[in-house]
Amino acid sequence: MSDWDLGRSPWYLRYGAAVVFVMLALALQFLPAARQVPFAFFFAAVALSARICGFGAAIFSTILSVAMADFFLLPPRFSFAVRGGDQLRLLFFALVALVISSLAKKKSEADKVADERRAQLAAVVESSEDAIFNKTLDGTVLTWNRAAQEMYGYNQEEMIGRNVAGLAPPEKAGEIAGILQRLRRGERMAHFETERVTKDGRRIDVSLSISPVFDTEGKIREAATIARDITNQKKAEAALRRAEKLATAGELGATIAHEMNNPLAAVTNLVYLIRKNGSLDDKARKQLELLDHELARMAHMTRRTLGFYRDTSSPVHADMRQIMDEVLEIYAGKLQSRAIKVQREYQPHSEVTVFPGEMRKVFSNLIANAIDAIRRQGTITIRVRSSHSWNHSALPGHASR
Amino acid sequence: MNAAFAMPHGDSPPPDSLVASKNPNSGKEERRRTVLIVDDEHLIADTLAEILNDSSNFVAVALYDGASALEWVRGTSIDILITDVVMPELNGIELAKSIKSICPKTRIVLLSGQAQTRDLMQQARHEGYLFELWPKPMHPDDVLKRLKQDPV
């Protein structure tokens, strides 16, 4: 109703408008048909003034109407003198006009409050970081806020009137029908985690809170959905799980390596003693040499596996290039089988004070991720250089197809 | 005493005393250094002792727990102690500390393939002990080479 409200305009506009309404009423009052109802149009003028120009202007138009009616309409005409019976009629008119004014004022105030509240709510919805939209019980979108546009990529024109089923990925097509059915039964769903597809085809993880909206009669007419993009949260959780898995695997590997070290030491010693035995022929000697060589490889492997887990309780001076090479050695087989090349761009002076075991875990994670990202054939470029700026050394390398 | 003597190979007679044995193969009056090997894994201790005894530079004895080792050292002085770190009851580092107090000139070598060793070593270093830590398994050639060199 703000279009028809001069409540906040300057006083001369409001009072000017009141004068115009009263003059119009006076002019209409001269119509022959209006003779029978001398005040009818003045009531309209007062009501209009109250509605549009405010309470003060309504009082003013009431007084003006009384004066105009007295001067122009009531006998004796063109005089302010009033006969006994007309005095009562004028008084009655003035009272009714006052009641109209105050009712109109109250109504317009209530409207104003309601408007403001609606605007506030709209602003909250609009500025929300969560996507908020309303839909009918068959899934037709009714409202679509800014965050919903950003999250799903569809703007209001594209979405309003369309069915929300279009947002679900193909394998979850039945999910929306299920949600709508539950809504019709009056159920609400809180933090329902699922997947949705954006306009550009991206899949996002969302947490949905959906509740039925009841009308004044208590019937469910529509439903409100609050959707939150939890893709990054999910990714972080997965990364954490992966890191935990890796740590567990590292610990397990270390435990096995420990267990292997003792028998390995005994066998290495035994092979040494057998080789010293002079009664062996050349072939046996050669085979023992191979055996010795393989044992050395095994020892090397257990030491590498332990390196992942074994760590000091305080940081030590270590060469990042060496740590990186050790990690790459672990992944050598995987890299080879996937035809992934590793390009090392190491700069000298890369000694830092670190926990080598922790660094190995970090690099191992990065390299494992890079391998997963490439899948097959490609190059992982690893740069090691010293820097004092965190911005430039945030990542030690990058993967490229 | 719960000790197994690993006899030197070949024709050389077993040493009657670990302290005063001489290298029978060399013409010089070079004393064979005495080594005490402690490992709860009998096979490792036994084979390492045999390897050292074969080498003609050392006379080695294998024992399987810290308590026996301490008892041995009270009766006979040794040049080198090679001990496993992680053992039931008395661990290698505690054993090494005790032996160092009985026989301060003893060279101590700790063998370990275990994760917690470095922290134990660091703790010992804070207490003023400098022990050598060798990885386990270590090739016998390397063991002999390192034992012939001076401690780092």
Side-chain angles (χ1 to χ4, degrees), chain A residues 170-239:
Chain A
E171 75 275 9
K172 291 190 172 163
E175 189 183 280
I176 298 226
I179 291 173
L180 293 171
Q181 194 140 31
R182 288 171 68 181
L183 281 170
R184 278 192 281 270
R185 289 200 296 264
E187 279 180 49
R188 39 189 308 146
M189 280 143 277
H191 309 302
F192 175 73
E193 289 189 7
T194 183
E195 260 187 314
R196 290 289 177 259
V197 182
T198 64
K199 189 183 176 184
D200 52 18
R202 241 174 348 106
R203 279 185 180 238
I204 52 173
D205 293 297
V206 292
S207 164
L208 305 177
S209 292
I210 311 173
S211 39
V213 178
F214 298 90
D215 65 8
T216 44
E217 290 159 30
K219 276 191 177 167
I220 302 164
R221 297 259 178 230
E222 50 189 68
T225 304
I226 300 176
R228 178 167 292 184
D229 186 348
I230 53 167
T231 310
N232 288 337
Q233 189 186 323
K234 284 267 167 188
K235 270 190 196 152
E237 280 170 13

Side-chain angles (χ1 to χ4, degrees), chain B residues 134-149:
Chain B
W134 295 2
K136 189 182 182 182
M138 188 187 247
H139 196 275
D141 282 338
D142 295 327
V143 173
L144 288 167
K145 205 169 85 189
R146 285 214 201 181
L147 280 180
K148 283 170 195 166
Q149 291 166 353

Side-chain angles (χ1 to χ4, degrees), chain A residues 124-168:
Chain A
V124 167
V125 168
E126 209 46 31
S127 63
S128 164
E129 287 301 314
D130 293 336
I132 301 175
F133 54 93
N134 276 39
K135 61 197 178 193
T136 61
L137 291 182
D138 60 8
T140 308
V141 174
L142 299 168
T143 65
W144 191 251
N145 79 340
R146 183 190 49 79
Q149 299 177 35
E150 282 168 11
M151 202 166 119
Y152 292 104
Y154 297 100
N155 60 28
Q156 285 188 334
E157 290 72 46
E158 288 169 306
M159 229 24 231
I160 289 175
R162 250 190 69 181
N163 200 290
V164 285
L167 298 172

Side-chain angles (χ1 to χ4, degrees), chain A residues 309-327:
Chain A
Y309 183 61
R310 181 193 288 179
D311 212 346
T312 49
S313 58
S314 55
V316 295
H317 223 56
D319 190 333
M320 293 307 252
R321 294 170 296 185
Q322 196 190 329
I323 292 176
M324 188 58 93
D325 282 344
E326 283 169 12
V327 174

